[in-house]
Amino acid sequence: MIARLNRPYIDGAFVDPQTDDTFARVTPVNGQALPSIASCGDADVDRAVASARRAFETSDWRRRSPRERKRVLQRLSALMLEHKDELGALITADMGKPIATATWEVEFSAEVFEWFGESVDHLFGDVAPLGYDAHATITREPIGVAAAVTPWNFPLLMPSVKLAPALASGNTVVLKPAEQSPLAALRLAELATEAGLPDGVLNVVTGLGETAGKALALHMDVDALGFTGSTAVGRLIMKYAAESNLKKVSLELGGKSPALVLADAADHEMVASKTAEAIFGNTGQMCDSSSRMVVHESIADSVIEQLNIVAGRWQPLDPFDPSAVMGPVVDKSQYDRVLGYLDIGRQEGAQVTVGGNATMVETGGFYIEPTVLRNVTNDMRVAREEIFGPVLSVITFSDDEEGLRIANDTNYGLAATVWTNDIRKAHRMARELRAGAVLVNGDELFDVTLPHGGFKESGIGRDYSHYAFDNWTQLKATYINLA
């Protein structure tokens, strides 16, 4: 199966690329080589975009009723669940996600397609309040050829949250998955054809961000582009859109999310458990990970003691072990990056209270211990820069206003958590925290009904929920003279 998923998927089939270039890959599980993947360039991107444009103009996909498109997406959702073990194994092999978590990712991705398929026929237009001699409607229409450039940390979910609303709206799509984890996305395209998606409606080009991704962002025949990834690349996407056809851009970018723990937060074990889940889950490779704990000085020792205990439950294992809750980081580059930040933190004066080292080195994989750093100040690099690994920086404060100021003192604004037993403080802090999502006393952030996106340098636009349709549609006003 893996050996077959090594070429672009265009016009309903795997095709030979226009280039002989490939990129080598290894699994982070044990460092062993995986089959090389075609490294698509401009010619392959042109071919995929042309296929999408042809399908948008000549196929009946955008002309089908929302209810008919819904049925196809629901069949795709069912097929994903039917093949969840296979898709989960592809995710784990590609980027080292524990197999139980990878299976959950498949299930939730299927739910995303189910939900957007069901939602699209609940989108209604408006009638403008004009005079007696005129009638005007305001309708939402597909934008045309859409592109999605997605990251490696959720190899199936991130494509799904772009593709589901884009396809449900009647668009055709070209997807460029991350080079580190393309296998699940390629298999998804194959399943979409099996579900009844017309040829050319969904195309997948494999390749590097600086070649295939850049070509999509610069392409004059791409009408909208959705990107999830780093803020630095998000800036480039905006630049390329401006240099080309001013395509519509939505961006879900980096984060340095705070967990603000007020002095009256009583259940320190719960604070530690939920914060550990938010920073060590997915090996810390999430933009909205709670990577900064901003905790009142009066309870800091107790909370850190609990964090040190809880970290023991997150020790990495072989991700194919069903009991594993944390696996390796995605590749050698990320491994070196995280370990480099741990050295920087020590040099800046942070104290490692638990973890701080590479582990399981005998496997050949890229495993790092769950790590807690204390004595961190908010001007340190480990407090300001996105590490994207299992590293929690703990910062203390003396009063609520100082804590709020530290929590908001970041270039990012993707998510935040506040811990308090005072409902009035909970409401006030939730209002004042500058983030696209605020969790009070910890909870599940993954829910398809909730919009997900950021303030400040964490991006523009929203994924999930009915607000995601705004990324992939445009409004049309139609005026009829009745005089």
Side-chain angles (χ1 to χ4, degrees):
M1 168 60 73
I2 290 180
R4 185 168 61 79
L5 302 175
N6 64 349
R7 297 179 296 163
Y9 192 87
I10 298 174
D11 208 23
F14 290 107
V15 299
D16 292 329
Q18 302 295 303
T19 174
D20 293 330
D21 293 340
T22 61
F23 52 89
R25 303 167 61 250
V26 300
T27 175
V29 177
N30 54 25
Q32 293 183 3
L34 293 172
S36 296
I37 303 287
S39 186
C40 297
D42 289 357
D44 294 298
V45 169
D46 286 343
R47 183 180 179 186
V49 172
S51 172
R53 176 59 64 187
R54 186 167 55 250
F56 184 75
E57 298 295 344
T58 64
S59 82
D60 68 342
W61 181 247
R62 68 184 171 96
R63 297 178 179 89
R64 293 187 191 184
S65 70
R67 190 165 298 176
E68 291 174 310
R69 293 197 297 270
K70 173 177 73 175
R71 294 190 184 104
V72 175
L73 297 187
Q74 288 177 333
R75 284 197 294 270
L76 175 56
S77 175
L79 283 170
M80 292 167 71
L81 294 176
E82 184 180 327
H83 293 270
K84 69 178 180 181
D85 292 340
E86 170 196 340
L87 289 166
L90 292 176
I91 292 170
T92 299
D94 253 356
M95 58 81 59
K97 192 187 298 283
I99 189 65
T101 312
T103 302
W104 166 87
E105 181 177 337
V106 178
E107 293 169 345
F108 187 50
S109 299
E111 181 183 337
V112 167
F113 276 101
E114 172 78 20
W115 192 88
F116 278 104
E118 181 62 41
S119 297
V120 71
D121 62 359
H122 299 291
L123 294 178
F124 293 89
D126 293 300
V127 175
L130 302 183
Y132 185 79
D133 292 334
H135 177 80
T137 60
I138 303 166
T139 53
R140 188 185 291 268
E141 298 192 356
I143 202 164
V145 174
V149 179
T150 56
W152 44 261
N153 57 335
F154 287 91
L156 189 62
L157 181 58
M158 291 298 100
S160 297
V161 300
K162 309 292 187 189
L163 296 179
L167 294 172
S169 303
N171 297 285
T172 57
V173 185
V174 179
L175 167 67
K176 206 294 284 185
E179 55 267 28
Q180 295 91 338
S181 56
L183 299 181
L186 288 163
R187 184 68 176 115
L188 176 66
E190 208 174 24
L191 292 174
T193 297
E194 185 179 340
L197 205 66
D199 293 347
V201 172
L202 173 58
N203 307 274
V204 181
V205 290
T206 56
L208 305 178
E210 58 265 31
T211 51
K214 180 179 179 180
L216 277 173
L218 284 169
H219 207 287
M220 295 295 293
D221 206 25
V222 170
D223 301 305
L225 189 148
F227 170 76
T228 296
S230 72
T231 298
V233 176
R235 287 192 172 94
L236 290 176
I237 296 289
M238 294 283 283
K239 175 175 178 285
Y240 297 148
E243 290 175 353
S244 54
N245 60 345
L246 290 176
K247 59 180 60 66
K248 190 174 188 177
V249 171
S250 56
L251 304 171
E252 196 259 273
L253 305 177
K256 197 69 180 176
S257 301
L260 177 58
V261 188
L262 304 187
D264 64 6
D267 191 339
H268 298 173
E269 195 281 331
M270 177 65 76
V271 172
S273 295
K274 285 292 187 178
T275 305
E277 183 179 346
I279 183 59
F280 302 144
N282 211 41
T283 321
Q285 299 170 131
M286 297 185 290
C287 294
D288 50 18
S289 291
S290 294
S291 53
R292 289 185 303 146
M293 175 179 278
V294 184
V295 58
H296 193 274
E297 60 189 10
S298 66
I299 61 172
D301 288 344
S302 174
V303 172
I304 290 172
E305 181 182 359
Q306 291 297 322
L307 282 167
N308 293 343
I309 295 170
V310 171
R313 306 172 197 159
W314 287 90
Q315 294 302 315
L317 295 172
D318 182 327
F320 280 104
D321 184 333
S323 67
V325 293
M326 196 173 92
V329 295
V330 69
D331 59 17
K332 183 64 162 58
S333 174
Q334 191 65 18
Y335 179 77
D336 291 340
R337 173 185 171 87
V338 175
L339 292 176
Y341 269 107
L342 291 176
D343 289 339
I344 289 169
R346 293 183 179 100
Q347 293 163 13
E348 290 180 318
Q351 175 192 352
V352 177
T353 70
V354 67
N357 301 297
T359 187
M360 296 175 62
V361 292
E362 72 283 355
T363 66
F366 309 125
Y367 299 87
I368 297 173
E369 295 173 330
T371 300
V372 176
L373 303 176
R374 72 174 304 172
N375 298 338
V376 175
T377 58
N378 208 45
D379 59 347
M380 293 181 180
R381 289 181 63 187
V382 291
R384 304 208 67 82
E385 300 175 14
E386 189 174 34
I387 298 172
F388 225 59
V391 181
L392 175 66
S393 296
V394 180
I395 306 165
T396 59
F397 65 91
S398 58
D399 62 67
D400 290 354
E401 295 307 313
E402 181 189 14
L404 180 62
R405 178 186 60 78
I406 293 171
N408 281 333
D409 183 15
T410 171
N411 293 337
Y412 300 107
L414 193 57
T417 304
V418 59
W419 291 90
T420 178
N421 280 12
D422 187 325
I423 189 64
R424 293 169 299 178
K425 288 184 178 181
H427 277 285
R428 189 174 75 83
M429 292 297 177
R431 285 177 181 267
E432 294 296 329
L433 285 165
R434 299 287 295 160
V438 177
L439 290 74
V440 177
N441 293 335
D443 211 333
E444 180 57 72
L445 191 59
F446 287 99
D447 193 296
V448 71
T449 65
L450 297 176
H452 186 263
F455 291 12
K456 298 187 279 188
E457 293 181 23
S458 288
I460 54 176
R462 293 295 183 266
D463 289 326
Y464 300 102
S465 81
H466 67 273
Y467 294 102
F469 286 112
D470 294 341
N471 299 333
W472 309 107
T473 59
Q474 52 197 346
L475 295 178
K476 175 182 283 185
T478 302
Y479 177 92
I480 300 172
N481 184 357
L482 300 179

